[in-house]
C-alpha cells in the first residue's frame, strides 16, 4: 500500500524518465479503474509528458498536446502498484485474468503498467484538465512536506477535534499523504497512543508530534527516492519500526509490538513506548463478544 514516501519515490523515478517522452499508447484494461471520460483516454496519444508530480497519495503525469494540456492522475489504493518496463511488451493486454489495470507506452519503447492485486479493486485513474478536477485531490489537506507546513498548522488541525489521533493522521482531508503504515510509525516515534484524542494534546505533545511527522516522512522519502519501483515495497517494509511487525521486539525498548485488529486492517504499537504499558483491546474480538 503506497503512501506518500513511496509515491514520492515513483515521482522521482518517473521524473527522470518521462518528461520529453511522447505517449504512443494508453490502454485501460480494467474498465472500472478509469473514473473519467472527458477528455477521452485516447486523447493522450501523441501528447508529450512535461512533468511528474505528487498530490497527497496521487501521482500526476502532466502532458501537453496539440489541443490541450492534460493530467493523467492515478491513485494506487491498497493493492495497486506500478511496474516499469525499459521495453514494453508490444502485444495488447487481454482483459480478464490479469492484474494489469492500465498500460501506457512511450516513443522510446519504454512504458509502465498499473497493476492491482486481489479482488477488491479500488485503483483509480483519471484523465483531467486540472488536478483539482479529481475530487480526492480537491479535498486534500495540507502536505506535511510542504515548506509552509508548520508546527502551528498542525496545532490548528488538531484543535477542537475530539477524535483519535490515529484517524486524524490518516484523514486525507485533514493532512495529505499519510496512511495506515506511516501513521503507526509516526505515533511510535512520538511515543503517543493511537487512541489519544487530537484535541487533548498539549503544547509539548504537539511539538513532538510535529517533529515525528516531518522527520519520519522526510527519512522515508529520502530512502524511497533512490529506489526503482520494484524495490520500493521492500524498502518500505524494512524501514518500519512497528507497522507490520506484530510479535517482534520494539527497536527502542525491546517490548513486544502489539496489534489492534479492525474489520479490514490492523494497527501496530509498542505498549511500553506508547500506552504506558497498557494493552489496547482487540476491536475485532470485542465486537464479536458484544
Ligand atoms: Zn517500545
Amino acid at each position: 500500500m503506497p503512501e506518500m514516501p513511496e509515491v514520492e519515490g515513483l515521482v522521482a523515478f518517473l521524473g527522470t524518465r518521462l518528461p520529453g517522452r511522447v505517449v504512443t499508447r494508453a490502454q485501460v484494461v480494467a474498465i472500472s479503474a478509469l473514473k473519467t471520460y472527458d477528455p477521452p483516454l485516447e486523447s493522450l496519444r501523441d501528447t508529450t509528458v512535461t512533468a511528474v508530480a505528487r498530490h497527497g497519495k496521487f501521482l500526476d503525469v502532466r502532458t501537453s498536446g496539440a489541443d490541450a494540456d492534460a493530467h493523467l492522475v492515478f491513485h494506487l489504493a491498497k493493492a495497486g502498484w506500478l511496474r516499469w518496463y525499459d521495453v514494453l511488451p508490444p502485444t495488447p493486454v487481454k482483459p480478464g485474468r490479469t492484474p494489469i489495470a492500465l498500460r501506457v507506452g512511450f516513443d522510446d519503447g519504454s512504458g509502465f503498467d498499473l497493476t492491482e492485486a486481489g479482488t477488491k479493486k479500488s485503483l483509480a485513474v483519471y484523465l483531467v484538465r486540472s488536478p483539482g478536477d479529481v475530487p480526492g485531490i480537491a479535498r486534500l489537506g495540507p502536505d506535511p512536506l510542504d515548506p509552509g507546513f508548520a508546527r502551528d498548522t498542525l496545532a490548528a488541525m488538531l484543535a477542537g477535534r475530539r477524535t483519535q489521533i490515529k484517524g486524524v493522521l490518516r484523514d486525507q482531508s485533514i493532512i495529505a499523504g499519510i496512511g495506515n503504515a506511516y501513521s503507526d510509525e509516526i505515533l511510535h516515534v512520538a511515543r503517543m497512543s493511537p487512541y489519544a484524542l487530537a484535541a487533548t494534546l498539549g503544547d509539548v505533545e504537539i511539538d513532538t508530534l510535529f517533529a515525528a511527522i516531518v522527520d519520519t516522512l522526510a527519512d522515508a522519502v529520502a530512502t524511497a527516492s533512490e529506489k526503482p519501483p520494484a524495490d520500493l515495497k521492500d524498502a518500505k517494509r524494512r524501514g518500519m519500526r512497528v507497522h507490520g511487525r506484530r510479535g517482534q521486539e520494539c527497536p527502542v525498548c525491546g517490548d513486544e509490538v502489539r496489534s489492534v485488529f479492525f474489520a479490514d486492517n490492523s494497527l501496530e504499537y509498542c505498549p511500553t513506548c506508547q500506552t504506558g504499558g497498557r494493552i489496547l483491546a482487540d476491536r475485532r474480538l470485542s465486537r464479536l463478544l458484544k
Side-chain angles (χ1 to χ4, degrees):
M1 189 189 323
E3 297 178 29
M4 171 225 277
E6 292 73 45
V7 177
E8 197 66 40
L10 292 174
V11 168
F13 180 87
L14 296 176
T16 62
R17 283 161 180 82
L18 297 189
R21 295 265 72 90
V22 175
V23 179
T24 51
R25 50 192 287 210
Q27 183 194 358
V28 180
V29 185
I31 302 298
S32 62
L34 184 63
K35 306 302 179 191
T36 54
Y37 57 89
D38 178 31
L41 197 71
E42 301 79 63
S43 67
L44 264 184
R45 256 180 91 102
D46 299 328
T47 63
T48 304
V49 176
T50 54
V52 183
R54 178 183 64 80
H55 313 278
K57 294 188 261 184
F58 292 85
L59 204 146
D60 173 4
V61 177
R62 184 171 189 168
T63 68
S64 176
D67 298 332
D69 293 353
H71 297 254
L72 176 68
V73 172
F74 47 87
H75 189 288
L76 294 166
K78 203 166 178 175
W81 199 243
L82 181 143
R83 186 194 292 156
W84 174 260
Y85 298 89
D86 289 330
V87 180
L88 189 68
T91 46
V93 188
K94 287 203 190 86
R97 286 190 190 172
T98 172
I100 300 170
L102 175 78
R103 171 165 285 181
V104 182
F106 302 98
D107 57 343
D108 64 347
S110 68
F112 64 81
D113 287 339
L114 299 185
T115 63
E116 188 171 32
T119 50
K120 198 180 161 209
K121 302 294 186 192
S122 38
L123 184 148
V125 177
Y126 310 80
L127 187 64
V128 290
R129 294 180 179 87
S130 159
D133 294 342
V134 176
I137 293 180
R139 59 171 177 262
L140 281 177
D143 191 296
L145 291 189
D146 189 289
F149 184 83
R151 185 257 182 221
D152 289 342
T153 319
L154 177 66
M157 271 171 202
L158 303 177
R161 232 178 257 284
R162 300 202 58 81
T163 45
Q164 293 169 348
I165 189 66
K166 169 81 179 173
V168 170
L169 291 178
R170 289 186 61 186
D171 186 333
Q172 302 303 299
S173 66
I174 301 175
I175 180 169
I178 302 170
N180 196 31
Y182 286 100
S183 55
D184 277 355
E185 295 297 294
I186 288 164
L187 292 170
H188 182 254
V189 170
R191 305 179 69 90
M192 202 167 280
S193 169
Y195 292 174
L197 294 183
T200 64
L201 299 184
D203 282 346
V204 175
E205 288 171 303
I206 294 174
D207 291 345
T208 305
L209 183 61
F210 176 73
I213 291 171
V214 174
D215 293 350
T216 302
L217 294 175
D219 285 354
V221 166
T223 304
S225 295
E226 300 153 7
K227 304 271 187 307
D231 295 347
L232 282 171
K233 271 194 267 192
D234 272 351
K236 177 186 177 190
R237 207 171 295 135
R238 274 197 306 275
M240 293 287 148
R241 298 153 50 118
V242 290
H243 184 77
R245 296 175 59 89
R246 178 166 64 103
Q248 300 181 40
E249 278 185 11
C250 167
V252 173
C253 74
D255 192 3
E256 183 185 338
V257 172
R258 307 276 181 159
S259 287
V260 181
F261 289 95
F262 300 90
D264 58 355
N265 62 13
S266 65
L267 67 78
E268 274 81 44
Y269 70 103
C270 168
T272 296
C273 290
Q274 295 176 256
T275 59
R278 199 161 55 89
I279 307 292
L280 301 174
D282 185 331
R283 292 303 167 104
R284 184 181 55 177
L285 192 64
S286 52
R287 191 185 304 164
L288 287 175
L289 291 175
K290 255 180 216 164

